[in-house]
Amino acid sequence: MKKSLGVKPYLYPMPVLMIATYGEDGTVDVMNMAWGGICASNLVALNIDEDHKTAENIKKRGAFTLSVADVDHLAEADFFGIATGNKMPDKFARSGLHAVKSEHVDAPVVEEFPITLECKVAEVQRSAGNFRVVGEIINVLADEKVLDEKGKVDPTKLNAFVFDQFQSGYYAIGGKVGQAWHSGAKFMK
């Protein structure tokens, strides 16, 4: 039997995404967020509070990078969700991670994260207390260690983790359990 839990943001898995921007003075700012993802083949959507330093930077610079955090950098990724750039301007420096300027957009690329989407702002939407940024993917960077022999990203090599909305935990992503557009094909007959 199912039990009613009321209105909760209960979906699983939730991505652990790192949004990187530059502040007015060129300082690197990185924010951990779970409320976003791919919304079209060349677009991402980020749902963030407009009072975040990251939102201010995105509005001013018109660009950001979006990275997938890996288990090896879980502590740094979590720190980026705990600390706010509004109160801790040296937040990125404290993490010990490294960033370089994107060749495609006015935003930093965190070198330690295995995959990064370089994005320019396509649209900013405000509705019902929500601030949403739609970004156009201009380029994707991937560390060679996460690529397969065909040059495609191998999810098992990403060592990514997801956020648990139920108990506020992080969980490593496991192995492959099926093949999209094939595992359910038996029901087509």
Side-chain angles (χ1 to χ4, degrees):
M1 175 179 265
K2 293 188 181 193
K3 180 180 178 182
S4 175
L5 299 178
V7 177
K8 307 278 185 193
Y10 281 174
L11 280 181
Y12 182 82
M14 293 286 286
V16 177
L17 302 172
M18 302 289 110
I19 310 170
T21 59
Y22 284 124
E24 278 187 84
D25 62 357
T27 302
V28 174
D29 180 64
V30 181
M31 174 186 172
N32 176 329
M33 64 138 337
W35 297 51
I38 299 293
C39 64
S41 63
N42 66 332
L43 299 173
V44 296
L46 314 175
N47 297 300
I48 59 178
D49 288 333
E50 196 165 2
D51 62 351
H52 282 291
K53 179 71 173 165
T54 301
E56 177 186 329
N57 294 344
I58 287 172
K59 288 187 281 187
K60 288 182 179 170
R61 297 278 183 151
F64 59 92
T65 59
L66 188 62
S67 296
V68 172
D70 61 354
V71 172
D72 294 341
H73 299 97
L74 187 145
E76 293 88 345
D78 188 54
F79 170 67
F80 292 144
I82 296 169
T84 171
N86 287 325
K87 295 181 181 175
M88 189 182 291
D90 66 339
K91 174 170 111 169
F92 184 74
R94 287 186 191 202
S95 75
L97 299 183
H98 306 88
V100 296
K101 184 168 180 5
S102 163
E103 293 182 17
H104 301 281
V105 298
D106 187 16
V109 174
V110 179
E111 293 181 306
E112 288 81 0
F113 295 143
I115 188 167
T116 300
L117 286 65
E118 298 168 287
C119 303
K120 72 176 185 179
V121 174
E123 185 178 352
V124 172
Q125 304 167 347
R126 290 176 180 89
S127 63
N130 189 27
F131 179 70
R132 175 178 292 165
V133 176
V134 177
E136 178 185 355
I137 302 166
I138 302 302
N139 188 49
V140 177
L141 298 169
D143 193 311
E144 289 183 9
K145 70 181 181 186
V146 302
L147 301 178
D148 65 14
E149 62 282 346
K150 295 178 184 174
K152 292 186 175 188
V153 174
D154 179 342
T156 63
K157 293 180 179 181
L158 273 177
N159 202 19
F161 59 96
V162 295
F163 176 62
D164 147 33
Q165 287 277 85
F166 311 110
Q167 299 176 12
S168 298
Y170 293 120
Y171 294 85
I173 297 174
K176 186 174 181 177
V177 296
Q179 183 65 42
W181 299 286
H182 179 75
S183 295
K186 66 183 181 182
F187 298 110
M188 294 299 292
K189 296 177 184 177

